[in-house]
Amino acid sequence: MPYFLTPYFYNWSSAELWVGIGLVLFFIILVVAGVPKLVAGALDAKAAKIQTDLDEAARLRAEAEALLAQIRQEKAEAEAQAAEMLAAAESDARRMEADARVRLEESLARRQQMAERKIAQAEAQATAEVKAAAVELAAAAAERILADRLAASSTDPLADEAISQIGSRLN
């Protein structure tokens, strides 16, 4: 059973009664002074501030999400562009490699032809030098043979002159 329903509570000498009366008077004074309106106003202002902060946070979140979506789209575009640039660079590298290979083959072919020409020239020059040396030796041998034959026989000035011209005519 609650204490305020007992007969002892309503005795004028009871301290609990005077505390209860003081408490009721205090609440009446608070109501008359408008404290509940002040508290309600303060709570309403606080609630309005919190609602404003929540609205601002929602707006900032929406902006952040939009910015994030934009950044993701730009990232995707940048990645696509980088992939295109990489593909173009690889294509250029393959083309340059093929061009370099063709130029190298052409250069090697030119050098081989040049070397073959130099070898052919050297062979022709050597052949010409051998022929010239053979002609000179043959002329000298013929000159000696004729000189020996003519020395054994009498000397003829016309034959001597013809023998001396043999070397110059054979070259």
Side-chain angles (χ1 to χ4, degrees):
M1 179 190 274
Y3 182 70
F4 65 91
L5 294 178
T6 63
Y8 177 75
F9 180 75
Y10 296 103
N11 186 2
W12 288 104
S13 64
S14 169
E16 288 85 3
L17 175 69
W18 289 107
V19 169
I21 292 172
L23 184 62
V24 170
L25 286 175
F26 177 72
F27 283 136
I28 291 172
I29 292 170
L30 288 178
V31 170
V32 171
V35 170
K37 289 182 183 177
L38 289 174
V39 170
L43 289 176
D44 288 343
K46 189 72 166 172
K49 183 177 184 292
I50 290 171
Q51 185 61 42
T52 304
D53 290 346
L54 287 174
D55 292 342
E56 178 70 16
R59 184 186 63 79
L60 289 175
R61 180 183 174 128
E63 285 180 11
E65 288 175 352
L67 186 59
L68 179 63
Q70 179 183 358
I71 289 172
R72 284 183 179 160
Q73 179 183 3
E74 289 175 359
K75 178 186 174 192
E77 290 173 359
E79 287 175 350
Q81 185 178 10
E84 289 174 6
M85 290 172 65
L86 181 62
E90 288 174 352
S91 171
D92 287 346
R94 282 192 293 273
R95 183 182 47 78
M96 292 172 118
E97 179 184 8
D99 290 347
R101 187 171 291 140
V102 167
R103 283 192 302 247
L104 179 62
E105 289 173 0
E106 289 173 355
S107 174
L108 289 175
R110 281 194 305 266
R111 287 182 181 178
Q112 183 178 0
Q113 289 173 353
M114 191 182 314
E116 288 172 357
R117 272 190 248 128
K118 284 183 180 181
I119 290 170
Q121 277 182 334
E123 286 177 354
Q125 186 178 2
T127 303
E129 288 175 1
V130 167
K131 284 181 183 179
V135 167
E136 286 178 19
L137 286 174
E143 201 173 315
R144 261 182 289 157
I145 292 171
L146 287 176
D148 288 344
R149 280 188 191 167
L150 287 176
S153 66
S154 65
T155 59
D156 185 12
L158 289 175
D160 289 339
E161 185 180 328
I163 290 172
S164 65
Q165 290 178 355
I166 287 177
S168 64
R169 287 187 180 174
L170 288 177
N171 285 334

